[in-house]
Structures are given as structure tokens and as C-alpha cells.
Amino acid sequence: MRTIKIFDTTLRDGEQSPGASMNVGEKLELAKQLARLGVDVIEAGFAIASPGDFEAIKTIGGEVEGPVICSLARAKEEDIKRAWEALKDVPEKRIHTFHSTSDIHLKYQFRIDREEALKRSVRMVKLAKSFVDDVEFSPMDATRTDTGYLCDVIEAVIEAGALTVNIPDTVGYSIPVEFGALIKSIRDRVKNIDRAVISVHCHNDLGLATSNSLSAVLNGAGQIECTINGIGERAGNCSMEEVVMALRTRRDIFNADTNINTEKIMRSSRLVTKITGMSVQPNKAIVGANAFAHESGIHQDGLLKEKSTYEIIRPETIGLHKTKFVLGKHSGRHAFRTRLVELGHTLNDEEINSAFKRFKRIADHKKEIFDEDLEALVSDEFTMVPEIYSLIDLNISSGTKQKPTATLKLKVNEETIEKTEHGDGPVDAVFKSITSITDTKSKLLKYEVKAITGGTDALGEVVCSIEEDDRSVSGHGADTDIIIASAKAYINALNKLAARKK
Ligand code: KIV
Ligand code: ZN
């Protein structure tokens, strides 16, 4: 049984999804979750791309134990030096450098010939190797590169010291039978291939990223690059949960598995949604809301008789527990903390106190507090930003014969400001009041509301994305009252925007 390494690039390629940018605190929180999940490598960012990316790599490298921490770098001296600066104090580190190799890229984008691209790649792998032992090289657009030339580049970079050679299907063009054959050709033709791990990095433009990655495993790939929920550039990257669960469920075919603690999958997926504001489609494999829902009577009948009739994965395997009553309004801080620890959250005293206060407020309104409610509640602690704006009071009136009106009191720095506004609906009226108090110029890109657990007393979760001056952020709010949750989400987004501006 082979162990396939999971190289998670949610924080780098995943962040390249439009609107998915994350701040350093959010990246750190996600990196900690990736470590709990058991990924082998975290690509924490692209050090030269921005000061925020640099800071994130450094911070994650200093605080997250377990996985190797990696920075991306173009095959350029300044990129590699910047990656090294971000990584130098990190115990387990990797530099991942890349250069295009396809004629299309070399001719139109770089305006250099194949020989020059090969020389640059080798030179930069050697430079990276002078800083760290663990160097990965990617021939970008590999699947549209002449195979003979691709093999020459791979052989040369291994000779220069690359320990991992990553084969990217950069534009998501390949199909499984072809991609598998390419990996086989590389194994057959590159003389020193046994000195490196073959990795694959598939994009999902034709919806084939997971299939292509699995086909590569069947042909000898030892590392898969992927993202949680499959987020990433354009149609996204290979989805971590899909590829991991395919390997686990069909070990009989792949004779391979990963180090992933699959019970942490659901929580990781929810955290990514919360932080990026990118929801998962309901019918998405493994983590979609309907992935374990059975509608047809025939299926339900079979399931009641024997689960394996229509269920190939037990929901518990990915951390999807049947919602169960755990806490109520009489529960104390101790029980609250204990349950959070059982769910995998380690909050400090200050975070516990603040989450506990909100728990009590919710427990006053809601009879049963489910695990999912607790997850939503504490995730607010993880995505905390300095609060310039905080909600003091909100009053709504609306009805069939009444114009929706919101009177909202907000603390702005140390001042309390109150405004009353009308709107097309109560949420609109609330947003107008907040806009008027904060005088924000931001544009609302997205507003989404969902119920976390069933029932009319469910905790409502709101995610909204706003944009100003090309900066986009998403805010999150949870409350039994969706109007309050909406206000919280908008205020959270405005606080993040203010922090980003600073
Ligand atoms: O898609 C791609 O080619 C990449 C490389 C940087 C590996 O993301
Ligand atoms: Zn990519």
C-alpha cells in the first residue's frame, strides 16, 4: 500500500479564486486546520506576490507544526530569495519554483526558446537548493508541452537537486487516459526519476481534475496538489476531499491511501466556506449539503434495511455526525468548553468567554444547541478582526402594510451613532442604516443566508462579500435572528475592509 502525499494549495492557488482573498489571521486559522486534517505539505503563499503573503508564510511557518510549509516562487532570483526570507526560520520548509515549458507560453508570454527555459529552470533550482534541501519544480503548462522536451527538463531539474517534480495541467486541458499516459512516459523516459517524487497539479476546466489526479496515481504519481472544496483559479483545482475519499473508498483499485484524518474533512470544508465566502454547491461530491441526503423512497427503504445498499461512505467518516442535542441554556462553561474540545476547537480563555456569552444568548432563544450551531458560533472567534464598528442595538419593523424600517445603533471607535432607514425589505433597511453610519463606499457583491440546522429556531448564518478599490472581503454572522445575523455579517466585512486598508 503506497502513501500518497497531499500537498494542499488552498492558501495559494485556492486564494487565486476571484473574491477568495484571506487575511493573515484567516490563513493561519486555516493552516492550523490543515495540520489537524493531516496534509503533508501546506503551500502557504507566494512570498513575493504581496507583503500579506510573505507575512502569512512566515507566521504559519512559526506557528503551525506538522506539515512542511512551502512558498511558491517563479524561476527568478528575486522570487527565490524572497521565498527563502519568509521560510528561513521554519523547521520543515520547501521552495516550489516553476517555469513554463509549453511552446505556447514560451513563444507568446516569455519570448524565449526551449533551451533558455531549461537553463533558467536548472539555474533557479540550484539557487533554491542552496537555501533549502526540499525543492519542488513545476514545468508550467506541462500537459501542452512536447513530451520529449518535458522529460529533458524534468531530468535536468532532478539533476540540479529537485526532490519533487510537479506536473501541472495548468489550463485543465488533459483527460484521464492521456494524463495517466503522460505520467507513465515520464516514469519510463526520465532516467533519474527514481530520485524524485512525481506530483500532479490538475485544474478543473473540463471537470476532470480529480479523475486526472487519480489516473496519475494509477501510473505512479506520489503526490497530489489540491484544495479544500476544489477552490482555485478559474474552475478551480483538484478537490482534496474528492481525491482523498476516492483513494480511501477504492483502496482495492489504487492500492494507495493518504495520511488524511478524514473525520476532519467536513469541518475544513466549512471553515473554507466561512473564510472565503465561497459556498459549496449542494450536490458537490463528499461535502455538498445533499451528498448524504436520500430522497427516493426506494433508496430510503434500502438504507433502512442495510446502509451499504445506497451508501458508499459512512457520513461519520468525513466528520458528518447526525445532529445531536448537546447543550442547552442551563449548560455551564465547563460543558461548553469540553464539547468544543471534543469537536476539535482549542480556544483560549478570552475566546471561550466571548463565545460562551454568545452561546448563552442563543440558548435563550433556541431550545436545542447542535454541534453545527456550536461550530458556527465559535468560527466567529477564529475570524475576529479589530472592531472599529460594533453593533449595539437593532430594531426592525416590517409587515405587509408597513415599510420595512431599521433603527440601528453602532459603536464607531468610541462614539455611538444611531440611524433609522427604510428599505425594500428588513435586510435592505439594516444595510442602508449601516452604510449611512459608516459612510462606506464599498459595493455589495454577494449576500447569502442559510439555516445551519433544521427547524424555524435554527441558527441562521449569513455570508456577505463587499468590494472597495479592488479589495474584496467577506463577512460572516450567525444568530437565531437572520436580520441580526445579516447586520453582523455586514459589520464584520466592514471591519475586515478597514483592517485591510490599514
Ligand atoms: O497551475 C499551475 O500551473 C500552477 C503552478 C504554479 C504549479 O499553479
Ligand atoms: Zn495551479
Side-chain angles (χ1 to χ4, degrees):
M1 179 81 69
R2 290 193 302 140
T3 301
I4 306 298
K5 286 189 187 179
I6 293 297
F7 176 115
D8 185 279
T9 183
T10 309
L11 297 174
R12 198 278 298 170
D13 223 340
E15 205 204 13
Q16 286 174 220
S17 313
S21 62
M22 307 170 221
N23 63 37
V24 176
E26 290 167 336
K27 283 191 173 182
L28 178 62
E29 197 46 50
L30 192 47
K32 286 183 182 165
Q33 179 61 19
L34 292 173
R36 284 181 214 118
L37 183 62
V39 307
D40 299 281
V41 185
I42 296 177
E43 189 162 53
F46 190 171
I48 205 162
S50 72
D53 258 34
F54 181 87
E55 203 47 46
I57 297 165
K58 222 172 146 55
T59 311
I60 291 169
E63 294 196 32
V64 176
E65 278 174 33
V68 171
I69 307 300
C70 171
S71 170
L72 186 67
R74 286 168 300 182
K76 284 182 162 209
E77 213 172 301
E78 61 270 30
D79 280 40
I80 289 169
K81 288 188 172 154
R82 191 79 177 137
W84 166 242
E85 274 172 48
L87 288 169
K88 62 181 178 227
D89 298 323
V90 179
E92 299 287 329
K93 46 188 167 282
R94 173 180 297 187
I95 294 180
H96 173 196
T97 185
F98 68 101
H99 198 299
S100 288
T101 48
S102 68
D103 287 339
I104 306 178
H105 283 204
L106 297 186
K107 181 170 173 201
Y108 296 108
Q109 192 179 4
F110 290 88
R111 307 208 161 106
I112 57 171
D113 60 16
R114 290 181 180 182
E115 205 184 314
E116 177 59 23
L118 188 146
K119 263 200 248 157
R120 285 185 193 179
S121 305
V122 167
R123 220 181 314 126
M124 291 306 124
V125 167
K126 283 188 179 157
L127 178 65
K129 195 76 182 176
S130 70
F131 294 124
V132 289
D133 186 47
D134 191 350
V135 174
E136 170 169 331
F137 178 80
S138 292
M140 188 150 87
D141 204 17
T143 49
R144 294 191 300 169
T145 300
D146 172 76
T147 307
Y149 172 62
L150 180 66
C151 289
D152 290 344
V153 173
I154 293 172
E155 194 168 319
V157 295
I158 294 175
E159 207 47 53
L163 296 183
T164 304
V165 281
N166 178 45
I167 311 303
D169 184 21
T170 303
V171 289
Y173 176 70
S174 204
I175 63 166
V177 62
E178 176 193 41
F179 194 61
L182 176 64
I183 303 302
K184 184 172 182 323
S185 287
I186 291 169
R187 283 186 70 204
D188 291 344
R189 290 163 71 166
V190 175
K191 280 200 231 67
N192 52 6
I193 197 67
D194 55 319
R195 283 163 39 195
V197 173
I198 302 180
S199 167
V200 288
H201 176 113
C202 298
H203 278 270
N204 206 28
D205 299 66
L206 294 175
L208 294 170
T210 302
S211 306
N212 283 339
S213 306
L214 293 171
S215 173
V217 168
L218 287 175
N219 285 281
Q223 175 179 286
I224 297 174
E225 302 201 352
C226 48
T227 60
I228 309 280
N229 295 345
I231 65 168
E233 188 84 36
R234 305 183 309 279
N237 288 58
C238 170
S239 140
M240 190 279 301
E241 58 280 5
E242 290 177 14
V243 88
V244 164
M245 289 316 294
L247 290 173
R248 176 73 47 97
T249 310
R250 300 310 309 271
R251 273 186 285 210
D252 56 325
I253 301 277
F254 294 106
N255 197 26
D257 203 349
T258 66
N259 291 321
I260 294 295
N261 176 358
T262 60
E263 288 180 5
K264 307 271 188 231
I265 285 180
M266 210 53 222
R267 189 165 175 246
S268 310
S269 164
R270 287 194 182 125
L271 189 60
V272 168
T273 297
K274 201 147 294 159
I275 289 177
T276 61
M278 289 178 74
S279 304
V280 167
Q281 75 195 58
N283 60 328
K284 162 91 171 60
I286 317 296
V287 292
N290 296 347
F292 293 90
H294 301 271
E295 174 76 16
S296 128
I298 298 172
H299 289 206
Q300 287 174 354
D301 174 60
L303 274 165
L304 286 170
K305 289 173 177 150
E306 163 57 41
K307 292 241 189 304
S308 62
T309 49
Y310 291 96
E311 206 171 68
I312 58 162
I313 298 169
R314 301 299 306 273
E316 298 83 354
T317 318
I318 61 148
L320 197 62
H321 299 282
K322 279 220 163 61
T323 55
K324 56 180 176 211
F325 171 64
V326 279
L327 297 166
K329 72 174 184 181
H330 301 297
S331 307
R333 195 179 305 256
H334 186 97
F336 179 68
R337 185 194 282 264
T338 308
R339 186 63 200 144
L340 287 180
V341 170
E342 281 165 11
L343 289 172
H345 300 283
T346 38
L347 274 69
N348 63 33
D349 287 347
E350 203 184 313
E351 289 164 339
I352 286 278
N353 286 344
S354 133
F356 187 67
K357 263 193 219 148
R358 286 187 296 119
F359 161 73
K360 280 288 182 182
R361 207 177 81 71
I362 286 163
D364 263 344
H365 298 280
K366 193 172 187 307
K367 275 195 272 154
E368 300 173 328
I369 306 283
F370 298 99
D371 287 349
E372 288 84 345
D373 297 324
L374 286 180
E375 300 266 7
L377 198 110
V378 296
S379 69
D380 280 356
E381 299 304 319
F382 295 143
T383 49
M384 261 332 177
V385 279
E387 285 199 331
I388 292 181
Y389 310 112
S390 58
L391 181 64
I392 297 180
D393 197 17
L394 175 58
N395 267 297
I396 307 286
S397 59
S398 84
T400 43
K401 295 197 173 67
Q402 212 181 340
K403 206 169 172 57
T405 308
T407 301
L408 186 129
K409 219 186 263 177
L410 209 60
K411 195 158 153 202
V412 182
N413 291 315
E414 287 315 308
E415 199 188 342
T416 301
I417 307 179
E418 184 177 307
K419 282 265 157 100
T420 298
E421 294 285 346
H422 304 289
D424 286 336
V427 174
D428 190 42
V430 167
F431 274 43
K432 281 188 175 140
S433 315
I434 297 173
T435 304
S436 144
I437 295 175
T438 58
D439 200 22
T440 178
K441 304 283 173 292
S442 60
K443 197 169 86 194
L444 182 68
L445 298 180
K446 192 174 87 176
Y447 167 83
E448 254 177 31
V449 57
K450 68 172 190 230
I452 295 170
T453 46
T456 48
D457 67 346
L459 202 59
E461 188 178 39
V462 174
V463 175
C464 73
S465 305
I466 57 173
E467 184 185 57
E468 188 182 328
D469 295 337
D470 281 340
R471 291 189 190 97
S472 63
V473 291
S474 57
H476 168 263
D479 202 281
T480 44
D481 181 325
I482 55 159
I483 312 293
I484 297 176
S486 304
K488 284 183 180 174
Y490 190 25
I491 293 167
N492 180 234
L494 288 168
N495 279 324
K496 281 189 186 175
L497 196 61
R500 186 75 65 82
K501 278 189 202 164
K502 267 194 184 164

